[in-house]
């Protein structure tokens, strides 16, 4: 099973091309936590005691939420999930997060800022797998 934790240069470029003129975007985050957070590649961020992936993600959000607010972004929804009502059997996500960003440019500036990057390792330590789906408003 392939895990997805970071954008690739190709997906990042396509994201920019697809969304840079669309104004506000909402990012749908699907999150699957590790049982135990893995800080082996991030010793400087390692807490004094072993923690769960969910606890590591909470540390990530503790530092990230104020930075999102400063950037003009906002958390629209944060919740827990389990198995799909309609979807692949056996596939489940521990948490779901919807974050609205003013624009792609604001999101990219936020995601590349030094303030954000110094704590982003908590996200990496926390997650077993994730999906990040950019959404733009439309009428069905």
């Amino acid at each position: 099973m392939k895990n997805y934790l970071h954008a690739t240069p190709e997906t990042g470029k396509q994201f920019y091309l697809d969304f840079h003129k669309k104004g506000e975007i909402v990012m749908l985050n699907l999150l699957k936590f590790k049982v135990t957070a893995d800080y082996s590649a991030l010793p400087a961020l390692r807490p004094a005691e072993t923690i769960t992936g969910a606890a590591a993600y909470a540390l990530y959000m503790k530092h990230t939420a104020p930075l999102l607010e400063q950037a003009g972004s906002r958390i629209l929804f944060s919740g827990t999930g389990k198995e799909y009502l309609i979807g692949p059997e056996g596939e489940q996500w521990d948490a779901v997060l919807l974050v609205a960003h003013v624009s792609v440019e604001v999101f990219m500036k936020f995601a590349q800022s030094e303030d954000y990057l110094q704590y982003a390792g908590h996200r990496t330590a926390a997650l077993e797998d994730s999906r990040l789906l950019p959404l733009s408003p439309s009428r069905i």
Side-chain angles (χ1 to χ4, degrees), residues 47-69:
E49 296 184 17
T50 300
I51 61 173
T52 65
Y57 199 83
L59 284 173
Y60 164 75
M61 288 306 297
K62 175 184 170 186
H63 295 288
T64 300
L67 299 174
L68 285 168
E69 189 175 312

Side-chain angles (χ1 to χ4, degrees), residues 81-132:
K82 292 295 173 203
E83 292 188 27
Y84 290 110
L85 176 60
I86 299 173
E89 262 186 61
E91 181 178 315
Q92 65 182 51
W93 299 96
D94 298 319
V96 176
L97 189 65
L98 287 169
V99 182
H101 300 277
V102 176
S103 66
V104 167
E105 288 77 9
V106 168
F107 170 76
M108 305 262 306
K109 184 177 178 184
F110 158 79
Q112 295 170 357
S113 74
E114 196 62 38
D115 289 339
Y116 170 76
L117 292 173
Q118 69 180 328
Y119 297 107
H122 288 297
R123 179 184 182 278
T124 302
L127 294 177
E128 180 70 35
D129 199 5
S130 69
R131 302 291 183 272
L132 183 59

Side-chain angles (χ1 to χ4, degrees), residues 16-70:
Y16 181 80
L17 292 173
D18 289 347
F19 289 91
H20 81 280
K21 292 184 180 179
K22 295 199 176 188
E24 183 178 71
I25 58 166
V26 174
M27 300 298 249
L28 168 64
N29 295 257
L30 299 176
L31 309 166
K32 186 175 296 194
F33 301 124
K34 293 177 181 171
V35 174
T36 303
D38 179 6
Y39 285 93
S40 59
L42 309 153
L45 286 179
R46 184 189 319 267
E49 296 184 17
T50 300
I51 61 173
T52 65
Y57 199 83
L59 284 173
Y60 164 75
M61 288 306 297
K62 175 184 170 186
H63 295 288
T64 300
L67 299 174
L68 285 168
E69 189 175 312
Q70 289 171 14

